[in-house]
Amino acid sequence: MLFRSYLRNELIDVLHPVLPEIAKILELFSHIRKQYLSIGEFSDVYSQAVKSGDIPERKVEAILKTLFLFSFIGNQPRQITNQIFKYKSPEANLNFKEKICVHRGYYNALEIF
């Protein structure tokens, strides 16, 4: 098994008890295919998936906070060139006014280029 698949599968295994639909949520990031995106972009794609019945409805904020807590996503501040991830800054919280970024370890597994 390739490392990229291993990392993705580990995230699914850890988050499945909290978010049973985590594999489908990760597919949304594959569908968007962006390293950096706004909260609104994710929210729009998520809402479409809920309307189509692919994913049960949850609060987008709660999903993103969970993904941030497990360092799948981080923040991309405007003035700073480094991203902010929970594993680097344990005291950090997700800033909903900034863009989010997918951790680069997941790029290949999610086909984000």
Side-chain angles (χ1 to χ4, degrees):
M1 180 186 302
L2 296 173
F3 178 73
R4 61 183 179 223
S5 298
Y6 173 79
L7 189 58
R8 181 180 184 274
N9 291 339
E10 282 295 311
L11 183 68
I12 290 171
D13 288 346
V14 170
L15 287 179
H16 189 266
V18 178
L19 290 170
E21 66 279 5
I22 184 62
K24 291 187 180 207
I25 290 171
L26 295 181
E27 286 176 22
L28 297 178
F29 285 94
S30 291
H31 178 73
I32 296 169
R33 290 196 196 279
K34 287 184 170 182
Q35 298 169 4
Y36 308 99
L37 60 145
S38 69
I39 303 282
E41 286 177 279
F42 177 80
S43 183
D44 290 345
V45 172
Y46 178 78
S47 294
Q48 290 172 0
V50 168
K51 286 179 187 174
S52 69
D54 291 338
I55 295 178
E57 186 170 10
R58 295 185 189 269
K59 291 185 178 182
V60 172
E61 294 83 7
I63 291 169
L64 292 175
K65 283 181 181 180
T66 301
L67 294 175
F68 183 82
L69 179 65
F70 286 88
S71 294
F72 172 75
I73 61 169
N75 275 122
Q76 179 61 55
R78 291 181 194 143
Q79 297 88 3
I80 302 173
T81 57
N82 295 330
Q83 295 97 10
I84 298 171
F85 284 95
K86 191 76 168 175
Y87 78 94
K88 287 183 182 177
S89 303
E91 71 285 349
N93 292 307
L94 182 62
N95 184 336
F96 286 90
K97 295 180 182 179
E98 296 175 335
K99 284 192 170 200
I100 57 174
C101 55
V102 176
H103 189 281
R104 67 183 308 111
Y106 296 98
Y107 288 178
N108 287 334
L110 298 175
E111 298 177 350
I112 297 172
F113 305 104

